[in-house]
Amino acid sequence: MSGLFVLVSFLANASEGNLYQAEVSVSGLVTSGEDGSELPGVTVLEKGTTNGTITDMNGKYTLQVSEGATLVFTSIGFLEQEQTVGSQSVIDVQMQTDVKELETVVVIGYGTSKKSDLTGSVASIDNEALQKIPSSRVDQVLQGRAAGVQITSVSGAPGAGTVIRVRGGNSIEGSNQPLWVIDGIIVGQDFNLNNLNTNDIRSIEVLKDASSIAIYGSRGANGVVLVTTKSGMATGGKPQVSVGLYTSTQLVPERPAFLNKEEQIEYTNEDAAYRGVALPFPDDPSTYEDNDYFNMLLDPSPIYNADVSISGSSENGNVNYYNSLNYFNQDGLIKNSGIEKFIFRSNLDIKLTDRWKTGFRMNFSRIKQDNGTVGYGGLLNILPTQPVYNDDGTYNGWNEVIGAPFSNPVANAELNTNETQINNVLATAYLEFKPTPKWMIRSTFSPEIDNTKRNRFNSSQSPDRLVVNQGGDAEVRATTSIGWNNENTIQYSTEFGDHSITGLVGASFQHFQAESVSAEAYGFTSDAVGYNSLGLGSDPTRNIVNSSFDEFSIVSFFGRLNYSFRDKYLLTLVARTDGSSRFAEGNKYELYPSVAGAWKVSNEPFMQDVTFINNLKLRASYGRSGSQGIESYRTLALLTEASTTYGGVQNPGLTLGRPANPALQWETTDQLDLAVETSMFNNRVFAEFGFYRKETNDLLLEVVVPRQTGFSSQLQNIGSLENKGWEFLLKTTNVSHGDFDWGSTLTLSSNKNKVLDLGGQEFIDVVIDEILGSGNTRIIVGEPVPVFTGVKYLGTYKTQEEIDNSGMNVIPELGSSKFQDLNGDGNITNEDNIVLGSPQPDLVFGLENSITYKNFNLSFFFQGTYGNEVYNLRMRPNYFTRGENPKFAEIADRWTPQNPTSDIPRAGAASESTNSNSEMVEDGSHIRLKTLRLTYNLPTNQWGWNNIDRMSVYFSGTNLWLLSDFRLIDPETSNFGNSGLGNIAQGYSSGEYPNAKVLTLGLNLTF
């Protein structure tokens, strides 16, 4: 880094003299050509330079420019305009309305570009779209708004994350989440997005093709999400204060339909009678309790959010600032769950001289999250007859039906604790030097510090513990991580004749270190101090103490060349070399190149008579990106605890727990992208269609090794998989007349994922449920990752003739489950499994409409999927198996001697019904009204409220309507989260925390 500053100092001295022409001051007023209103936030840029400013709240600007300069005026939703300064000192401009998507300025890796100049695939979401959904997490706002990006909620719990797939998943063992880059800071794939305030965000860009992501090399294979936060606008020294307030009510959503108390008692008794055991409910059904645990533990709950920001500039415009404070508090639908956040941000830019600029971005967040002590899915296992309280008023802790302790959720919500506290600081400081208008040298240093502490306490007074005299237990876990990233770039831009060239070279250095300690104690006899004194645990034989350490470094060198000829033919060359400490010598470094080209067909002479087409561009790219795909130290052997007997005495020791493999290397993804972009009919229609194909090689997989090695498997680079698909984006201005405007945005995408090779294996079993065992989830050559597998469910045995002809070795009973014996051996095993479906949808879509009439705006957004399946893990306990679990309402129509044609198995026919089967896999296609928002912009000027620049009130609804045939109501779920097993085991539902319907009332005010 010191070498860079030596270069900077040298160029600074060398540049003294007549490199800069004399400067003049230009000011003016920017208004809307449609209604004459002042336009704040319009970018005013000296053409060919980065010298610029932004109009203030009254549409005014002032800028120092070179003599003979040309000013470029740009703003989202308006046509770009150019004005030659000449001898003018005052230049007023009227901006004309535009929906020309191709002229939008988007952020790319280490720079910006007009969309019309892009050779790669980049989806952009601006601040206006972000503000339409009151949300505390930016990933939830992205859902359905970017073609080629599938986002699935993990659950509806406060602060819960999402599963994000950009053009499908590329890895089996490694992460498939995209890389997040915030204000140029590479924060990785698992950054906690709760640390960000969505109101601070100016724009989001998703980089999808090889040309766009190659600049991020080994971490770009899964796509890259760039988040850019707001900067201060030119206000002539007057601060601009913005206040945003909203309050929401979360409504308890519809829940699955189950048998009522009387029906459940009948089923449970019928099941017991069939098995020849005592009836659990021998008395009249009216003598048993009828408890609704959902009503006891789920309530409508509030959300409160307050945002205050102060932004502006110094009088001379040399200092721009943006400071904000956010408070967010969400109570969960389920008692004892929620999240509370305090977020402070400060962004500062200082123009030191005409050549030097510096600044920083700093974000501090403090989060307290109540993780909840009651699982929604657990409530689906409790019979309505199960008492909450004993006769003496104490909590009940015994289940009479199964004769075992009962984990009472009402008691758990009241007595137990499970919380996480997080403090995070994310910052970046930069120094920028422009020795001449064509050269820019920039250096950044970006630290991140994160402290996370989790406290868990299970009360000694929990009724299920009291009945077995178990005592309470507690755990405290603390993790501290410190990372930093230093990036240095040199950029050169020039134009000569018909040619335009921009070149960028850079070097990046990143280091990360984390330490974690945890302790668990058991046998607490009192709740007096909870988890605050682990030493009070009275059972030291069960206590657990653990610690871990992680450290890695990455060094990178990269470059990009953009070339344009006659603004018609575009070429982009990108290359990045990454070196990672996670790999052994000889495999640490990898090169990731890409090439892309574009042809602006609409700029050709033969297109000038085609008047209905305003812009037409063809583009193509091909390149390579990568993924580390492994944890630190994964190339090394692992030591684990072991003991041996020596001299008749057992002695502790260590043994090798896994084999080393210094040959491990990067997973690599090669991608081809072809696309066409066009705007038509006076720019009222913008469309973009793209096709892509990705192939990932050197997949990291656990491979079975000979037992003589002393190990069962070893991580190796074998296998490959493919993703290919298409994306479509359509933006239209349907009506634009006087006081009425109506615009629409449609996104469609389809991705087909397929395993090409598994190192010679035909399939790999993934165990996701120990009871179901292996065989229900597989990775199969020629199929998507993963597929649901199991036997085909054929209904029930309805006649003795069917039983006699079944050929089964174990003779079935009338009304028992009937499965397809694929191999005809008379046994139902994994050998009879077939592919039942996949969580990969055939189509992902989103449709937004925005209608404006005078001061009112109505927007509504639908999103959904088509063609995906969901594996319902609740089918085994709530459809098949014994009567000790609640059963779905449809079980009322089960097989009985009085109902002999039913395909629902009889009560008691459970032993042969636990196989993974086709009845457990359901259609996950759905359409959701994600948001509906009505906004009224108050006419503050007409009312004489001259001190208020803008003021609006709005009402919005989220998750208001869902169309789905899924038994558990909402198919958008991820039982295993977005990491670990959840990396590939998507599409499983076990009754996760529900997504609430949210009604919101808000106020935005700027003065």
Side-chain angles (χ1 to χ4, degrees):
M1 184 172 175
S2 60
L4 176 70
F5 283 104
V6 170
L7 175 62
V8 170
S9 300
F10 171 79
L11 291 171
N13 293 328
S15 63
E16 298 293 342
N18 57 3
L19 290 177
Y20 282 85
Q21 300 175 356
E23 292 191 339
V24 296
S25 177
V26 182
S27 61
L29 176 67
V30 181
T31 57
S32 169
E34 185 173 351
D35 57 13
S37 61
E38 298 88 355
L39 293 179
V42 176
T43 300
V44 185
L45 190 68
E46 182 179 354
K47 189 175 182 179
T49 75
T50 58
N51 177 40
T53 186
I54 300 175
T55 58
D56 63 18
M57 296 310 304
N58 297 314
K60 297 179 180 179
Y61 73 93
T62 300
L63 184 65
Q64 298 289 126
V65 298
S66 304
E67 286 186 350
T70 297
L71 297 183
V72 181
F73 297 81
T74 57
S75 181
I76 295 175
F78 293 90
L79 289 168
E80 178 183 296
Q81 289 196 35
E82 293 187 4
Q83 294 284 339
T84 302
V85 174
S87 60
Q88 303 176 84
S89 60
V90 177
I91 299 179
D92 295 333
V93 173
Q94 279 195 336
M95 303 288 286
Q96 303 302 318
T97 304
D98 180 32
V99 294
K100 192 192 299 181
E101 179 73 12
L102 292 171
E103 295 307 311
T104 301
V105 176
V106 298
V107 178
I108 57 176
Y110 303 98
T112 61
S113 173
K114 286 183 182 179
K115 190 169 178 62
S116 60
D117 292 335
L118 286 176
T119 55
S121 180
V122 179
S124 182
I125 300 92
D126 60 25
N127 178 260
E128 181 180 354
L130 295 174
Q131 297 305 311
K132 290 181 179 178
I133 303 179
S135 175
S136 66
R137 288 182 59 98
V138 63
D139 49 347
Q140 295 172 350
V141 178
L142 280 175
Q143 191 175 37
R145 297 179 182 274
V149 181
Q150 182 186 1
I151 299 179
T152 304
S153 296
V154 170
S155 81
T162 59
V163 176
I164 304 176
R165 295 292 180 264
V166 179
R167 294 183 168 181
N170 301 309
S171 184
I172 294 176
E173 291 282 342
S175 173
N176 284 305
Q177 293 287 98
L179 176 70
W180 287 83
V181 180
I182 301 169
D183 284 329
I185 311 169
I186 297 176
V187 296
Q189 297 170 309
D190 55 356
F191 181 76
N192 186 352
L193 296 175
N194 287 313
N195 291 321
L196 297 180
N197 174 16
T198 56
N199 193 57
D200 289 337
I201 297 173
R202 187 181 72 193
S203 68
I204 302 171
E205 275 75 27
V206 183
L207 313 184
K208 298 181 289 185
D209 76 315
S211 175
S212 302
I213 62 182
I215 198 72
Y216 291 103
S218 65
R219 288 170 287 183
N222 300 328
V224 181
V225 183
L226 307 180
V227 177
T228 304
T229 60
K230 297 175 181 177
S231 299
M233 298 189 299
T235 58
K238 177 188 175 183
Q240 175 184 296
V241 179
S242 295
V243 178
L245 304 171
Y246 70 77
T247 181
S248 304
T249 297
Q250 302 166 94
L251 303 179
V252 178
E254 179 187 0
R255 68 187 196 220
F258 283 86
L259 298 177
N260 61 34
K261 184 187 75 168
E262 290 74 20
E263 292 170 331
Q264 183 64 55
I265 287 175
E266 180 183 5
Y267 182 93
T268 304
N269 282 341
E270 192 177 314
D271 167 72
Y274 180 85
R275 293 185 288 113
V277 299
L279 298 182
F281 303 103
D283 300 326
D284 187 277
S286 63
T287 63
Y288 299 100
E289 296 189 31
D290 189 4
N291 291 315
D292 190 328
Y293 281 84
F294 290 92
N295 283 346
M296 294 178 186
L297 291 163
L298 275 74
D299 289 305
S301 53
I303 300 175
Y304 303 104
N305 183 84
D307 272 301
V308 178
S309 67
I310 302 175
S311 62
S313 70
S314 60
E315 290 187 12
N316 60 8
N318 287 338
V319 178
N320 288 353
Y321 58 89
Y322 174 86
N323 300 291
S324 72
L325 182 65
N326 170 245
Y327 173 75
F328 178 85
N329 192 342
Q330 178 183 6
D331 289 340
L333 292 174
I334 301 178
K335 291 181 179 180
N336 209 13
S337 66
I339 187 171
E340 183 179 37
K341 304 194 297 183
F342 297 88
I343 302 176
F344 171 73
R345 169 169 288 276
S346 181
N347 293 351
L348 182 68
D349 299 290
I350 305 173
K351 182 179 180 182
L352 301 173
T353 69
D354 290 333
R355 301 167 190 165
W356 290 91
K357 185 178 180 181
T358 188
F360 66 80
R361 305 284 185 270
M362 192 277 290
N363 189 90
F364 170 75
S365 59
R366 180 175 177 82
I367 301 171
K368 180 182 178 182
Q369 190 160 358
D370 290 321
N371 303 311
T373 55
V374 175
Y376 185 85
L379 301 181
L380 301 176
N381 282 331
I382 305 175
L383 294 177
T385 54
Q386 179 65 41
V388 179
Y389 302 98
N390 297 314
D391 292 339
D392 61 1
T394 59
Y395 286 119
N396 172 48
W398 190 257
N399 187 330
E400 293 287 353
V401 174
I402 62 174
F406 166 57
S407 181
N408 190 322
V410 179
N412 292 340
E414 180 68 26
L415 300 174
N416 297 342
T417 301
N418 185 353
E419 63 182 27
T420 301
Q421 297 177 0
I422 303 171
N423 293 301
N424 179 273
V425 176
L426 179 66
T428 183
Y430 72 90
L431 181 63
E432 185 177 291
F433 173 60
K434 294 188 292 183
T436 74
K438 296 182 179 180
W439 287 91
M440 184 176 72
I441 303 170
R442 183 182 175 93
S443 181
T444 65
F445 182 77
S446 308
E448 181 186 1
I449 302 172
D450 188 276
N451 291 302
T452 301
K453 183 171 180 282
R454 181 187 176 191
N455 303 314
R456 178 182 58 80
F457 182 73
N458 291 324
S459 171
S460 62
Q461 303 305 305
S462 295
D464 55 323
R465 295 171 181 270
L466 289 174
V467 297
V468 293
N469 197 28
Q470 184 176 2
D473 63 78
E475 177 189 12
V476 175
R477 181 183 300 271
T479 302
T480 299
S481 64
I482 299 177
W484 57 262
N485 189 2
N486 168 230
E487 296 193 320
N488 309 282
T489 58
I490 301 176
Q491 179 175 299
Y492 175 76
S493 301
T494 187
E495 295 182 8
F496 54 94
D498 294 326
H499 310 275
S500 175
I501 296 176
T502 299
L504 173 81
V505 294
S508 175
F509 309 92
Q510 185 174 9
H511 182 79
F512 175 84
Q513 179 178 303
E515 293 185 71
S516 179
V517 294
S518 65
E520 298 179 53
Y522 294 83
F524 283 83
T525 58
S526 171
D527 295 355
V529 294
Y531 53 77
N532 291 309
S533 183
L534 297 182
L536 294 181
S538 62
D539 189 356
T541 60
R542 300 172 62 197
N543 292 350
I544 300 173
V545 178
N546 206 346
S547 65
S548 63
F549 177 80
D550 183 24
E551 184 176 32
F552 69 87
S553 298
I554 298 177
V555 59
S556 308
F557 303 95
F558 53 89
R560 179 174 59 216
L561 177 67
N562 294 102
Y563 170 73
S564 173
F565 177 64
R566 293 183 178 176
D567 195 31
K568 290 191 293 187
Y569 312 109
L570 310 176
L571 176 68
T572 300
L573 302 175
V574 180
R576 181 172 177 130
T577 295
D578 283 334
S580 173
S581 63
R582 287 178 168 170
F583 294 98
E585 292 296 334
N587 291 314
K588 289 184 179 292
Y589 288 88
E590 187 68 55
L591 174 67
Y592 301 97
S594 76
V595 58
W599 176 25
K600 295 184 180 181
V601 183
S602 54
N603 287 357
E604 295 288 357
F606 62 79
M607 289 292 296
Q608 302 313 302
D609 292 333
V610 185
T611 56
F612 72 94
I613 296 180
N614 304 106
N615 290 283
L616 176 63
K617 183 175 71 172
L618 306 177
R619 56 176 172 82
S621 67
Y622 183 81
R624 171 171 293 184
S625 55
S627 171
Q628 297 180 65
I630 61 172
E631 301 170 348
S632 301
Y633 319 117
R634 200 61 177 84
T635 61
L636 306 177
L638 178 70
L639 294 175
T640 59
E641 280 188 272
S643 60
T644 186
T645 302
Y646 181 74
V649 179
Q650 191 174 33
N651 297 279
L654 296 173
T655 186
L656 286 178
R658 73 172 182 224
N661 186 357
L664 290 178
Q665 57 188 4
W666 311 81
E667 293 181 330
T668 57
T669 300
D670 297 318
Q671 182 174 181
L672 170 69
D673 185 83
L674 304 171
V676 57
E677 300 173 4
T678 184
S679 59
M680 301 175 289
F681 308 115
N682 293 323
N683 299 309
R684 296 177 69 92
V685 177
F686 171 81
E688 180 178 355
F689 179 82
F691 167 82
Y692 63 87
R693 181 186 182 275
K694 300 193 295 183
E695 182 174 320
T696 302
N697 294 292
D698 296 323
L699 285 176
L700 289 159
L701 295 172
E702 288 286 350
V703 179
V704 176
V705 296
R707 296 181 64 85
Q708 295 89 331
T709 64
F711 305 99
S712 59
S713 65
Q714 182 187 45
L715 187 65
Q716 298 180 11
N717 288 100
I718 61 170
S720 60
L721 60 83
E722 173 192 73
N723 286 280
K724 64 180 180 180
W726 56 267
E727 303 165 352
F728 178 68
L729 169 67
L730 178 66
K731 290 189 175 184
T732 62
T733 299
N734 306 315
V735 178
S736 181
H737 181 71
D739 294 331
F740 185 77
D741 292 283
W742 172 27
S744 302
T745 301
L746 173 68
T747 61
L748 302 172
S749 59
S750 177
N751 180 77
K752 297 295 183 182
N753 175 279
K754 182 172 69 173
V755 178
L756 301 178
D757 179 49
L758 290 174
Q761 302 179 77
E762 292 184 7
F763 65 86
I764 297 175
D765 271 325
V766 181
V767 178
I768 59 95
D769 186 295
E770 294 297 334
I771 297 177
L772 289 173
S774 63
N776 61 337
T777 306
R778 280 181 175 174
I779 302 170
I780 304 175
V781 174
E783 297 287 348
V785 179
V787 289
F788 307 134
T789 54
V791 294
K792 186 176 181 179
Y793 181 72
L794 301 177
T796 59
Y797 287 97
K798 300 177 178 64
T799 65
Q800 188 60 44
E801 183 180 2
E802 280 186 76
I803 295 175
D804 295 339
N805 296 329
S806 68
M808 303 304 296
N809 294 329
V810 177
I811 305 301
E813 298 284 343
L814 282 173
S816 63
S817 301
K818 183 179 181 181
F819 301 107
Q820 183 182 41
D821 182 14
L822 199 62
N823 60 5
D825 65 353
N827 297 306
I828 301 300
T829 66
N830 285 353
E831 298 299 318
D832 301 305
N833 284 359
I834 60 174
V835 174
L836 302 175
S838 168
Q840 310 291 340
D842 295 326
L843 184 69
V844 179
F845 59 87
L847 174 63
E848 182 175 25
N849 281 274
S850 180
I851 301 171
T852 301
Y853 177 69
K854 294 186 177 180
N855 290 351
F856 290 92
N857 175 262
L858 174 67
S859 64
F860 48 96
F861 176 58
F862 291 90
Q863 57 89 208
T865 63
Y866 172 77
N868 57 303
E869 282 79 34
V870 180
Y871 197 110
N872 187 346
L873 294 170
R874 302 301 321 173
M875 286 295 289
R876 187 186 63 81
N878 299 129
Y879 187 94
F880 300 105
T881 72
R882 296 179 180 178
E884 58 205 35
N885 296 112
K887 292 296 181 280
F888 289 123
E890 62 198 277
I891 301 301
D893 190 37
R894 65 189 174 277
W895 188 98
T896 64
Q898 296 75 33
N899 188 28
T901 61
S902 173
D903 280 323
I904 300 174
R906 67 181 299 167
S911 59
E912 73 276 16
S913 301
T914 56
N915 302 80
S916 175
N917 64 75
S918 55
E919 197 69 11
M920 298 177 176
V921 177
E922 303 184 41
D923 184 11
S925 303
H926 67 281
I927 302 175
R928 185 192 307 274
L929 177 55
K930 185 70 175 180
T931 59
L932 174 69
R933 176 173 171 134
L934 178 63
T935 303
Y936 178 63
N937 297 301
L938 280 71
T940 54
N941 290 335
Q942 297 179 18
W943 295 354
W945 298 358
N946 297 324
N947 292 328
I948 298 177
D949 294 318
R950 290 191 304 273
M951 185 176 182
S952 63
V953 293
Y954 64 89
F955 169 81
S956 71
T958 305
N959 297 324
L960 294 180
W961 176 77
L962 174 67
L963 178 62
S964 168
D965 292 329
F966 187 46
R967 282 186 177 93
L968 296 180
I969 309 301
D970 194 341
E972 186 187 325
T973 182
S974 179
N975 182 70
F976 301 105
N978 57 17
S979 61
L981 183 59
N983 182 57
I984 57 171
Q986 292 299 309
Y988 290 87
S989 179
S990 185
E992 283 65 54
Y993 202 115
N995 292 303
K997 295 181 179 180
V998 184
L999 304 179
T1000 301
L1001 184 63
L1003 167 70
N1004 290 321
L1005 174 67
T1006 300
F1007 56 90

